[in-house]
Amino acid sequence: DTHLGAAGFGRRVSPSGVNQREEDICNSFAWAIDKILELRPEAVLHSGDLFHSVRPSNRILTFAIKQFLKLSQANIKVVIISGNHDAPKQRAIGSVLSVLEVFPNIYPLFKGKYEIITIDSACIHAIPHCLTNESFQEELAKIRANQKTDFNVLMLHGVVTGIKEFSMGEFAEQEIPDSIFNMGFDYVALGHYHKYAQVRQNVFYAGSTER
């Protein structure tokens, strides 16, 4: 959960002339991108809320595009799903994540449905934020691990059912039944909760780059 564009409630302005918290969040994201370039993983997973809003400012959008361009040019594959903050409440608005579709190696998923991306010997199963919790549950019912691939990874954005600590108290939160973790996935990458947390041995909330 990187929430690019979030400014908090403070009015402090940085030396560059923008909200200090907004700049802090961008700086943390840029540091994470540089670390990824140093580590050179086979793939990067971002489980939602790249942006803090459906319509980020031009400055924030330009900043994000420049950062993802670095990963694309380094041939590092990135799968990113929309979260409740950057997913539009009406289909007609369109998703801000669609701007990333122009980059090779970047796979933005934002259409509110179960999708699968294959990267080398890994099968990435993902459900971005859906228009309603009901439609999210319908998409969850479609999930099936691929027994013919070496690795199955699941990406979701929401609150694990029955664990109140993972709730952010937001209206558009979507619930993830813990039974989904019994379906044979090697790793589950969760988004929404802003602190690093292990739910099961192979199920994690990565948390936020800047809280």
Side-chain angles (χ1 to χ4, degrees):
D1 290 58
T2 47
H3 287 269
L4 299 179
F9 300 104
R11 295 185 179 180
R12 182 179 175 184
V13 175
S14 73
S16 59
V18 301
N19 179 277
Q20 184 65 65
R21 287 300 296 139
E22 182 180 302
E23 187 167 285
D24 290 343
I25 289 168
C26 286
N27 288 341
S28 292
F29 185 76
W31 177 89
I33 296 296
D34 289 342
K35 191 66 177 179
I36 290 167
L37 292 170
E38 176 188 329
L39 294 171
R40 299 196 66 82
E42 292 181 21
V44 174
L45 308 180
H46 191 305
S47 294
D49 287 349
L50 170 64
F51 297 104
H52 189 61
S53 68
V54 174
R55 295 186 177 93
S57 68
N58 292 339
R59 191 183 75 83
I60 291 297
L61 191 56
T62 301
F63 167 78
I65 288 172
K66 288 180 177 179
Q67 297 303 315
F68 279 99
L69 179 60
K70 294 177 184 179
L71 299 182
S72 175
Q73 292 177 335
N75 293 318
I76 297 174
K77 293 179 172 58
V78 182
V79 181
I80 176 170
I81 63 175
S82 58
N84 58 301
H85 274 262
D86 49 22
K89 305 302 181 287
Q90 297 176 343
R91 287 194 177 91
I93 295 175
S95 173
V96 65
L97 297 186
S98 63
V99 301
L100 300 176
E101 289 183 308
V102 300
F103 294 126
N105 303 312
I106 310 297
Y107 304 92
L109 306 179
F110 51 84
K111 297 178 181 178
K113 64 179 183 179
Y114 174 39
E115 297 188 62
I116 299 173
I117 302 292
T118 301
I119 297 177
D120 298 328
S121 59
C123 201
I124 313 297
H125 306 252
I127 302 178
H129 187 78
C130 298
L131 283 177
T132 65
N133 190 54
E134 289 74 20
S135 59
F136 181 64
Q137 300 305 317
E138 290 174 2
E139 295 304 312
L140 284 173
K142 300 175 183 178
I143 293 175
R144 296 291 185 276
N146 185 348
Q147 303 302 323
K148 296 181 180 180
T149 192
D150 291 342
F151 300 101
N152 282 277
V153 177
L154 178 61
M155 297 175 65
L156 300 169
H157 188 94
V159 181
V160 177
T161 303
I163 306 180
K164 294 181 180 180
E165 290 79 5
F166 295 152
S167 171
M168 302 298 291
E170 295 171 341
F171 175 73
E173 285 183 338
Q174 296 183 340
E175 296 183 356
I176 303 169
D178 59 5
S179 58
I180 217 81
F181 307 143
N182 301 325
M183 298 184 66
F185 287 95
D186 298 287
Y187 184 76
V188 181
L190 300 176
H192 187 58
Y193 183 57
H194 289 179
K195 295 181 181 179
Y196 170 82
Q198 182 174 5
V199 181
R200 291 195 184 181
Q201 184 177 1
N202 62 331
V203 181
F204 290 85
Y205 279 101
S208 297
T209 44
E210 178 78 19
R211 295 204 295 273

